[in-house]
Amino acid sequence: MTDLELAEALHRGAVDETIDPDLERQLSFESGLSLKEIQLAALKEGLTPQRFERNMGTLGREGQIKLLRSTVAVAGCGGLGGLIIDLLARSGVGMMHIADGDTFAPSNLNRQILSSEEHLGKEKAATAAERVRSINEALEVRLFGGYLDEKSIGAFSSRVVGNGEFPSFTAPLEASGARSRSSALEKELSSRKRPPTGVSRKRRGIPPSHPPLLPPWR
């Protein structure tokens, strides 16, 4: 299927300038393109995947395109990290690198959005990946099945960036519950001139006045 044929198929199948998930899957199968490529193609044609309709008032189509092309690294899939991962998936972040070496315990059920009785004993990172794919199977998820510390942080960050430097579209998010892991992540990313976006500033002793990193699509 050529680009022109894909554009024609998108417009032919659109309803009120939107495309539904069934059309995304159909065109992905017929064209051999990934679901993310279909979503991007629709946005470039001035059409909106229905899953992103409510994003248009804040992000707009250009912002949604940037978000689908963005990468986020999340350290920790617990109370904070799990919620962050869920929201990023619903927003349409195209690539997530997720790290957590923990498993779900009954004590997580009162506050961790990814936990449930059926997930007790299961790995948090793998469960997070399942959650992302259940929200939008077009999104890419790569797992790092272990805790981040001074020994493992280099391997994790290398998986994220490959060439040793974070590109401008990558936003590392720190949601780890342990101070030692937070310190290792902050030290590693700062050495790469890409400090993490800390989501627990008070716990880590970061003053409220410290400027946050802007989201990657701004």
Side-chain angles (χ1 to χ4, degrees), residues 125-136:
T127 301
E130 291 176 6
R131 178 66 161 247
V132 170
R133 296 184 183 112
S134 72
I135 293 170
N136 186 352

Side-chain angles (χ1 to χ4, degrees), residues 126-184:
T127 301
E130 291 176 6
R131 178 66 161 247
V132 170
R133 296 184 183 112
S134 72
I135 293 170
N136 186 352
E137 58 186 312
L139 308 182
E140 299 176 67
V141 186
R142 296 180 183 176
L143 303 182
F144 186 87
Y147 292 115
L148 297 185
D149 54 28
E150 292 185 355
K151 294 181 179 179
S152 64
I153 186 63
F156 175 66
S157 59
S158 293
R159 287 190 186 188
V160 176
V161 301
N163 61 2
E165 185 66 49
F166 278 96
S168 59
F169 58 79
T170 302
L173 294 169
E174 183 274 307
S176 173
R179 174 62 189 173
S180 60
R181 295 196 286 272
S182 299
S183 298

Side-chain angles (χ1 to χ4, degrees), residues 150 153-155 157-158 166 183-194:
E150 292 185 355
I153 186 63
S157 59
S158 293
F166 278 96
S183 298
L185 179 62
E186 186 169 2
K187 181 179 179 181
E188 172 69 17
L189 299 184
S190 295
S191 72
R192 295 173 181 263
K193 300 180 181 179
R194 192 66 176 177

Side-chain angles (χ1 to χ4, degrees), residues 9-21 23-24 27 42-43 45-54 56 61:
L10 284 166
H11 284 283
R12 189 165 55 246
V15 177
D16 295 330
E17 297 188 340
T18 68
I19 63 170
D20 63 31
L23 181 60
E24 291 177 13
L27 294 180
L43 290 163
E45 286 295 318
L47 303 173
T48 305
Q50 290 177 358
R51 67 178 73 248
F52 298 138
E53 273 191 280
R54 297 301 179 93
M56 293 301 101
R61 289 194 179 91

Side-chain angles (χ1 to χ4, degrees), residues 29-64:
F29 175 78
E30 293 177 355
S31 67
L33 297 173
S34 69
L35 284 169
K36 184 162 68 173
E37 289 173 316
I38 296 297
Q39 292 174 5
L40 286 167
L43 290 163
K44 291 175 183 177
E45 286 295 318
L47 303 173
T48 305
Q50 290 177 358
R51 67 178 73 248
F52 298 138
E53 273 191 280
R54 297 301 179 93
N55 290 2
M56 293 301 101
T58 52
L59 297 178
R61 289 194 179 91
E62 287 302 315
Q64 191 66 61

Side-chain angles (χ1 to χ4, degrees), residues 76-86 100 102-117 119-120 122-125 127-128 131 175-177 181:
C77 304
L80 290 170
L83 180 59
I84 289 169
I85 290 166
D86 187 274
D100 201 315
D102 202 3
T103 58
F104 285 110
S107 60
N108 301 144
L109 291 171
N110 73 318
R111 69 195 186 285
Q112 298 191 13
I113 194 171
L114 300 181
S115 67
S116 67
E117 290 190 3
H119 290 138
L120 295 180
K122 294 186 177 180
E123 295 178 355
K124 291 184 178 182
T127 301
R131 178 66 161 247
S176 173
R181 295 196 286 272

